[in-house]
């Protein structure tokens, strides 16, 4: 059985092919041919061993055993290996090209299979002539023994050399043509593939595209880019091309969705237009009906008036003619009577009687004939021409061609942040096709007992646009607005009333009530408006230099009350301002205050000062000039000290450590420390359980210092009188320490639990001065023991 038919079963099952896959058979055979071309440097001065790579005798076509085939393949592999050592590595070069053009791992596996079968195929080559020309001719002619599809694939991959140009080479190829065809069939048979199967393998290999040609817009093989018709085209990796196409499809889908949304919106708009057309038609139809009915009524009235006048004229004419007719009848009756009497007179035979009757008749006839008979018509039969006044009808008919009075506008609710403290921006709309020449905007303040009659008066403005900004209003005040539309036909009904509110006035920061420490500040302010506001916003700007000192670096919003505890960074300067907010918008900034977080800052509470205690202009120096009668009946506040000539500082509401200093005079007796808010005002500082203080007393022998709490003091002697006393308060560790700040000497520390925040407290027991220094950092060397 021939090799073609003997390997049919192996052809049907690809996984059982000996040493190669069906998809790579033609590639292997073509690469085997190429190995002969590329591996051998056809130098005329090379050794004869480099050309002695083919057996003396070609193998038969399918009649050799598998064992002989393997032995021959092994010998050929050894010779091929020695040849590769002499030449350059083709596999390395192909690998670099494959890496450059993004070949996948499957292609690299095929190259490895190609090298594995190289020796086997080389052992099957037919004998060729030695020398450069002979080698090229054999390769060229050997390519003719492959099928056209195989030849095209091999040529595209660039593994066959160009056809020989010399006639001697053509002649040499013609002589060995039969052997080359036999050799090609033997190579295919040795791999267990028929010629028909090899053609199918080539087709399958060509379809295995792994790169994308951007020029032709089709997927191709990487080798087609290297040596095929796509050599000069731009290619990208297939995965990248897929991702690119996916992105393009996604973009187009987004555009399509956008068009769908626009179309749906337009369709909704068309539906609204349909409804509007129906509404406008109904309104115009009613308008026409009203105008035509009015015109018909006017015509009917005019008709009745004219017919009535014409009838009156007819009545008068007929009455006049009837009077003449009656007069004519009476005259005719008289004439007939006279005629009859005259005829009777002629019949009288007695002359005497005739004469008597004739004289009387003649007088009667003469008297009758003296009367003039009116034989002219008193009235003419024609009626006078009457001109009908259609001006009113024409006016009504012409009004059908004019625009109707507009519908009532719709006023919009107040937009956020559309107001200032003295102005409001009001907007409205006209949801119809009515023609409007202008709008009439009316407003007045919402009824308030505190507003005067003048402030509650209504105001009216005429504007062309559908918006208007009203100025000169009161801050944080509600106003009612309503609007009407006007045109040549009249004015529309007013819109519904809408309530707008102006923005608040800027708050006022209470400078004397500001307290701060290294990490926070408590800012208090008050509202300048009568009406309440919704919330407040605190704006901070860090003072790094003069240029950007006004740049807002932080905003704290939604503060419901008139104070805020703000966390800050140590050793920084801040400019802080406050805004008030309501539905109308935000007020202008308040006057800013400067806060430095170099240490604890507090003010003196004047409401707690004893009447004999004075606070100097700097606000941090207290003095007492005389102590003649500490219990005098001077006017005092409800929260003032009455016995101890003392004063409290502002509450220190910040956890952590706080430090301040008090500058004292050596000959002044004083008390300095801290106290709760509810410390008794009729007692002395340190004499109760709600205050802690350091007391200085001058005795004839020495300066005495006491550290008092609840009237108790330890026995401590201080040899160096302090001129500047440092006070260090630690809420968390429940400690209150006193220091001689000039020499950083620790004097005493109270260990006590502070169940509430405390106030700094100061008192003078002899005339003198105490200067308080706060907003300072803790000096070096001062710390809790």
């Amino acid at each position: 059985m021939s090799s073609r038919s003997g390997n049919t079963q192996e052809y049907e099952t690809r996984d059982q092919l000996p040493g190669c896959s069906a998809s790579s058979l033609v590639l292997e055979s073509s690469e085997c041919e190429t190995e002969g071309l590329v591996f051998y440097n056809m130098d005329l001065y090379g050794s004869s061993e480099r050309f002695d790579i083919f057996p003396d005798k070609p193998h038969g076509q399918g009649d050799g055993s598998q064992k002989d085939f393997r032995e021959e393949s092994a010998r050929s592999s050894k010779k091929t290996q020695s040849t590769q050592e002499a030449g350059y590595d083709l596999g390395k070069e192909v690998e670099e090209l494959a890496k450059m053009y993004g070949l996948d791992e499957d292609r690299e596996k095929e190259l490895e299979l190609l090298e594995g079968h190289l020796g086997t195929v080389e052992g099957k080559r037919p004998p060729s002539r030695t020398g450069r020309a002979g080698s090229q001719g054999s390769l060229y002619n050997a390519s003719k023994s492959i099928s056209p599809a195989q030849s095209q694939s091999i040529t595209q991959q660039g593994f066959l050399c160009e056809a020989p140009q010399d006639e001697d080479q053509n002649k040499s190829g013609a002589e060995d043509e039969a052997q080359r065809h036999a050799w090609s069939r033997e190579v295919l048979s040795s791999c267990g593939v028929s010629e028909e199967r090899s053609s199918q393998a080539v087709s399958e290999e060509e379809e295995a595209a792994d790169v994308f040609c951007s020029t032709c817009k089709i997927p191709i093989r990487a080798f087609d880019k290297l040596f095929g018709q796509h050599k000069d085209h731009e290619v990208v990796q297939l995965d990248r091309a897929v991702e690119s196409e996916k992105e393009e499809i996604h973009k187009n889908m987004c555009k399509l969705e956008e068009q769908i949304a626009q179309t749906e919106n337009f369709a909704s708009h068309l539906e609204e237009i349909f409804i509007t057309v129906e509404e406008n038609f109904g309104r115009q139809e009613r308008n026409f009906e009203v105008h035509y009915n009015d015109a018909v009524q006017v015509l009917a009235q005019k008709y009745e008036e004219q017919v009535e006048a014409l009838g009156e004229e007819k009545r008068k004419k007929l009455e006049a003619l009837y009077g003449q007719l009656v007069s004519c009848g009476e005259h005719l009756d008289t004439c007939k009577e006279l005629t009859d009497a005259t005829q009777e007179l002629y019949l009288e035979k007695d002359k005497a009687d005739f004469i008597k009757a004739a004289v009387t008749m003649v007088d009667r006839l003469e008297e009758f004939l003296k009367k003039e008979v009116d034989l002219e018509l008193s009235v003419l039969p024609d009626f006078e021409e009457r001109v009908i006044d259609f001006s009113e009808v024409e006016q009504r008919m012409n009004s059908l061609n004019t625009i109707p009075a507009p519908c009532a506008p719709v006023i919009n609710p107040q937009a956020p942040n559309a107001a200032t403290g003295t102005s409001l921006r009001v907007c409205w709309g006209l949801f119809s096709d009515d023609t409007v020449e202008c709008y009439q905007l009316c407003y007045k303040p919402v009824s308030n007992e505190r507003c005067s009659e003048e402030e509650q008066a209504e105001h009216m403005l005429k504007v062309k646009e559908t918006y208007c900004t009203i100025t000169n209003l009161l801050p944080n005040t509600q106003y009612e607005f309503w609007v009407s539309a006007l045109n040549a036909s009249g004015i529309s009904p007013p819109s519904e009333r809408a309530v707008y509110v102006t923005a608040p006035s800027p708050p006022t920061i209470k400078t004397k009530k500001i307290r701060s420490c290294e990490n926070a500040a408590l800012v208090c302010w008050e509202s300048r408006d009568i009406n309440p506001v919704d919330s407040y916003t605190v704006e901070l700007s860090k003072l790094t230099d003069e240029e950007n000192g006004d740049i807002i670096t932080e905003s704290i919003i939604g503060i419901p009350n008139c104070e805020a505890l703000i966390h800050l960074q140590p050793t920084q300067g801040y400019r802080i301002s406050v805004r008030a907010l309501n539905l109308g918008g935000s007020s202008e900034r308040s006057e800013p205050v400067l806060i430095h977080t170099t240490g604890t800052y507090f003010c003196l509470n004047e409401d707690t000062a004893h009447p004999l205690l004075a606070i100097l202009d700097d606000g941090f120096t207290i003095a007492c000039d005389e102590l003649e009668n500490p219990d005098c009946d001077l006017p005092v506040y409800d929260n003032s000290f009455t016995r101890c000539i003392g004063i409290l500082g502002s509450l220190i509401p910040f956890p952590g450590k706080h430090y301040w200093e008090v500058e004292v005079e050596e000959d002044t007796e004083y008390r300095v420390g801290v106290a709760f808010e509810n410390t008794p005002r009729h007692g002395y500082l340190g004499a109760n359980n709600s205050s802690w203080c350091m007391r200085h007393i001058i005795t004839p022998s020495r300066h005495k210092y006491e550290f008092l709490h609840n009237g108790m003091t330890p026995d401590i002697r201080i040899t160096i009188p302090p001129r500047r006393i440092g006070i260090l308060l630690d809420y968390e560790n429940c400690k209150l320490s006193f220091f001689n700040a000039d020499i950083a000497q620790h004097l005493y520390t109270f260990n006590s639990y502070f169940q509430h925040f405390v106030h700094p407290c100061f008192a003078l027991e002899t005339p003198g001065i105490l200067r308080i220094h706060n907003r300072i950092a803790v000096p070096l060397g001062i710390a809790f023991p």
Side-chain angles (χ1 to χ4, degrees):
M1 184 179 294
S2 64
S3 174
R4 181 182 182 95
S5 60
N7 295 326
T8 302
Q9 186 172 359
E10 296 180 358
Y11 161 78
E12 293 176 355
T13 306
R14 297 184 181 181
D15 298 337
Q16 297 178 359
L17 294 178
C20 59
S21 62
S23 61
S24 62
L25 290 177
V26 177
L27 177 62
E28 292 176 359
S29 61
S30 60
E31 287 182 350
C32 291
E33 291 289 342
T34 308
E35 294 294 344
L37 172 63
V38 178
F39 278 139
Y40 308 117
N41 185 5
M42 299 304 177
D43 193 354
L44 296 176
Y45 298 96
S47 61
S48 59
E49 295 178 357
R50 300 177 64 181
F51 300 100
D52 191 13
I53 61 173
F54 299 109
D56 295 336
K57 233 193 243 185
H59 289 273
Q61 298 181 5
D63 53 355
S65 63
Q66 185 69 17
K67 181 178 180 181
D68 296 336
F69 174 79
R70 292 181 179 177
E71 292 177 356
E72 187 67 25
S73 298
R75 289 194 299 270
S76 299
S77 299
K78 292 180 181 180
K79 293 183 180 180
T80 302
Q81 184 176 0
S82 62
T83 307
Q84 289 177 344
E85 293 176 356
Y88 63 93
D89 192 352
L90 175 63
K92 183 178 181 180
E93 181 180 357
V94 175
E95 182 180 2
E96 292 178 355
L97 291 174
K99 184 177 181 181
M100 181 184 302
Y101 290 96
L103 293 178
D104 53 11
E105 297 180 356
D106 294 338
R107 187 67 59 195
E108 295 176 359
K109 292 179 179 180
E110 292 179 358
L111 294 177
E112 293 176 0
L113 293 174
L114 170 64
E115 295 178 358
H117 290 279
L118 180 62
T120 304
V121 178
E122 288 293 342
K124 302 293 184 177
R125 279 187 179 274
S128 62
R129 300 181 182 180
T130 60
R132 184 185 183 108
S135 177
Q136 292 178 351
S138 63
L139 291 172
Y140 170 74
N141 294 324
S143 65
K144 295 181 179 180
S145 63
I146 305 175
S147 64
Q150 294 172 334
S151 178
Q152 182 180 1
S153 175
I154 295 173
T155 304
Q156 289 176 352
Q157 297 177 22
F159 288 113
L160 293 180
C161 64
E162 297 181 356
Q165 302 295 329
D166 300 335
E167 294 181 359
D168 295 339
Q169 294 173 350
N170 292 334
K171 183 178 180 181
S172 176
E175 293 176 354
D176 299 331
E177 184 175 1
Q179 295 182 0
R180 284 193 295 272
H181 281 288
W183 172 78
S184 298
R185 289 193 297 270
E186 184 179 357
V187 169
L188 296 176
S189 300
S190 64
C191 293
V193 181
S194 64
E195 293 180 358
E196 180 180 0
R197 182 58 180 171
S198 64
S199 299
Q200 295 178 359
V202 171
S203 300
E204 293 179 359
E205 184 66 21
E206 289 178 351
E207 293 176 359
D210 45 18
V211 294
F212 181 77
C213 179
S214 301
T215 305
C216 299
K217 302 297 182 182
I218 58 173
I220 62 172
R221 297 174 57 201
F223 284 111
D224 294 340
K225 164 61 181 173
L226 293 175
F227 306 104
Q229 59 182 356
H230 304 279
K231 183 176 183 180
D232 298 329
H233 295 176
E234 182 181 356
V235 298
V236 296
Q237 294 184 5
L238 198 59
D239 294 340
R240 194 175 301 173
V242 170
E243 293 297 329
S244 176
E245 291 300 325
K246 287 183 178 179
E247 292 179 1
E248 191 67 23
I249 292 173
H250 179 69
K251 292 179 181 178
N252 293 332
M253 288 299 295
C254 292
K255 293 180 180 179
L256 183 60
E257 291 176 357
E258 183 177 357
Q259 289 184 2
I260 291 173
Q262 293 177 355
T263 305
E264 290 178 349
N265 293 335
F266 182 70
S268 300
H269 182 64
L270 286 178
E271 293 178 357
E272 295 176 357
I273 295 299
F274 270 105
I275 297 174
T276 304
V277 168
E278 291 290 341
E279 293 177 352
N280 292 340
F281 169 76
R283 186 157 41 83
Q284 292 290 350
E285 185 181 20
R286 291 190 297 271
N287 181 48
F288 286 162
E289 183 179 357
V290 170
H291 281 75
Y292 275 113
N293 290 337
D294 293 344
V296 169
Q297 290 179 0
V298 171
L299 287 175
Q301 183 179 358
K302 292 291 184 183
Y303 172 77
E304 292 177 358
E305 292 176 356
Q306 293 295 334
V307 169
E308 184 178 357
L310 189 62
E312 182 66 21
E313 184 179 0
K314 171 188 173 183
R315 184 184 62 79
K316 291 181 179 180
K317 286 181 179 293
L318 292 177
E319 287 181 355
L321 291 174
Y322 180 76
Q324 283 187 320
L325 184 60
V326 171
S327 177
C328 290
E330 290 177 352
H331 185 74
L332 290 173
D333 290 341
T334 303
C335 290
K336 186 177 180 181
E337 182 183 355
L338 291 175
T339 302
D340 293 342
T342 301
Q343 290 177 356
E344 289 178 358
L345 181 61
Y346 277 106
L347 297 176
E348 182 67 35
K349 295 180 178 182
D350 187 2
K351 295 181 178 180
D353 292 338
F354 176 77
I355 291 301
K356 292 178 180 180
V359 172
T360 303
M361 181 61 65
V362 170
D363 293 338
R364 187 178 176 184
L365 287 174
E366 288 179 354
E367 185 179 358
F368 178 77
L369 292 175
K370 288 179 180 180
K371 294 180 180 180
E372 294 182 359
V373 180
D374 187 11
L375 299 178
E376 294 181 359
L377 294 175
S378 61
V379 293
L380 298 176
D382 297 331
F383 288 84
E384 65 181 48
E385 294 288 338
R386 293 183 177 274
V387 178
I388 302 176
D389 185 12
F390 288 101
S391 60
E392 184 178 358
V393 178
E394 290 178 356
Q395 183 179 0
R396 291 185 177 276
M397 295 300 294
N398 292 333
S399 65
L400 292 175
N401 299 325
T402 60
I403 57 176
C407 299
V410 178
I411 195 165
N412 299 340
Q414 183 174 7
N417 301 320
T420 65
T422 58
S423 65
L424 282 170
R425 181 181 176 88
V426 184
C427 300
W428 59 88
L430 190 68
F431 296 98
S432 65
D433 294 335
D434 295 338
T435 301
V436 177
E437 295 181 358
C438 65
Y439 295 93
Q440 181 176 291
L441 178 65
C442 302
Y443 67 95
K444 70 172 184 177
V446 175
S447 299
N448 192 339
E449 296 179 355
R450 300 178 181 178
C451 296
S452 62
E453 293 182 0
E454 182 179 355
E455 292 176 345
Q456 291 185 357
E458 292 186 5
H459 302 271
M460 185 185 70
L461 296 173
K462 285 191 176 182
V463 293
K464 293 287 187 181
E465 297 80 9
T466 57
Y467 60 88
C468 181
T469 300
I470 299 92
T471 57
N472 300 325
L473 302 177
L474 299 177
N476 199 25
T477 304
Q478 293 182 341
Y479 289 86
E480 281 184 328
F481 289 89
W482 63 96
V483 63
S484 300
L486 291 85
N487 61 13
S489 300
I491 185 171
S492 72
S495 66
E496 294 184 358
R497 301 196 176 194
V499 177
Y500 281 55
V501 60
T502 53
S505 301
T508 302
I509 298 178
K510 298 179 181 179
T511 307
K512 293 185 178 181
K513 292 189 176 182
I514 292 178
R515 285 151 283 176
S516 65
C517 64
E518 293 184 352
N519 300 308
L522 180 65
V523 182
C524 301
W525 60 86
E526 61 182 357
S527 175
R528 294 164 50 187
D529 297 318
I530 298 176
N531 298 324
V533 300
D534 295 339
S535 64
Y536 296 92
T537 297
V538 176
E539 296 179 344
L540 292 79
S541 58
K542 188 181 295 185
L543 300 179
T544 55
D545 51 48
E546 294 296 332
E547 295 182 359
N548 61 357
D550 291 335
I551 299 177
I552 303 301
T553 57
E554 183 179 357
S555 296
I556 304 173
I557 63 175
I559 302 174
N561 303 319
C562 291
E563 66 177 25
L565 181 62
I566 308 168
H567 295 281
L568 304 174
Q569 297 178 359
T571 65
Q572 294 288 341
Y574 292 89
R575 180 179 282 108
I576 297 179
S577 58
V578 183
R579 295 179 186 265
L581 289 87
N582 62 8
L583 179 62
S586 172
S587 70
E588 299 294 331
R589 294 183 192 172
S590 65
E591 290 294 329
V593 294
L594 299 179
I595 293 179
H596 298 275
T597 57
T598 53
T600 300
Y601 174 81
F602 56 86
C603 299
L604 297 177
N605 190 350
E606 298 181 7
D607 295 341
T608 62
H610 189 275
L612 296 179
L613 195 65
I615 302 176
L616 302 187
D617 294 338
D618 62 359
F620 295 97
T621 302
I622 59 176
C624 181
D625 296 333
E626 57 181 355
L627 297 176
E628 295 180 358
N629 187 8
D631 297 326
C632 61
D633 296 331
L634 295 176
V636 295
Y637 298 103
D638 295 338
N639 198 30
S640 300
F641 284 95
T642 57
R643 189 172 184 182
C644 176
I645 306 176
I647 188 173
L648 295 180
S650 303
L651 185 71
I652 303 178
F654 313 109
K657 297 179 181 179
H658 305 278
Y659 179 80
W660 63 93
E661 295 179 354
V662 182
E663 187 177 347
V664 300
E665 295 179 352
E666 188 174 354
D667 56 350
T668 302
E669 295 183 357
Y670 54 83
R671 297 177 188 232
V672 294
V674 298
F676 288 140
E677 173 69 29
N678 60 353
T679 188
R681 302 296 194 265
H682 58 277
Y684 288 96
L685 296 174
N688 47 57
N689 61 357
S690 60
S691 59
W692 299 258
C693 69
M694 172 183 174
R695 183 187 183 193
H696 174 229
I697 305 173
I698 301 175
T699 64
S701 59
R702 65 185 178 90
H703 291 272
K704 184 179 179 181
Y705 294 91
E706 297 177 345
F707 296 92
L708 297 170
H709 175 62
N710 204 14
M712 305 294 292
T713 179
D715 186 10
I716 295 177
R717 291 196 175 190
I718 299 175
T719 57
I720 303 176
R723 299 294 301 273
R724 196 177 181 101
I725 301 173
I727 302 175
L728 186 59
L729 170 66
D730 188 353
Y731 279 122
E732 297 176 355
N733 296 317
C734 304
K735 291 184 178 182
L736 176 66
S737 296
F738 296 87
F739 299 87
N740 185 342
D742 293 330
I743 60 177
Q745 180 186 18
H746 175 253
L747 302 178
Y748 183 74
T749 296
F750 288 101
N751 292 288
S752 179
Y753 174 69
F754 300 106
Q755 56 183 350
H756 304 292
F757 291 120
V758 298
H759 296 256
C761 60
F762 313 91
L764 288 169
E765 298 187 348
T766 59
I769 294 176
L770 294 179
R771 293 183 176 87
I772 302 164
H773 301 274
N774 57 18
R775 197 183 284 168
I776 57 177
V778 180
L780 297 176
I782 290 181
F784 289 111

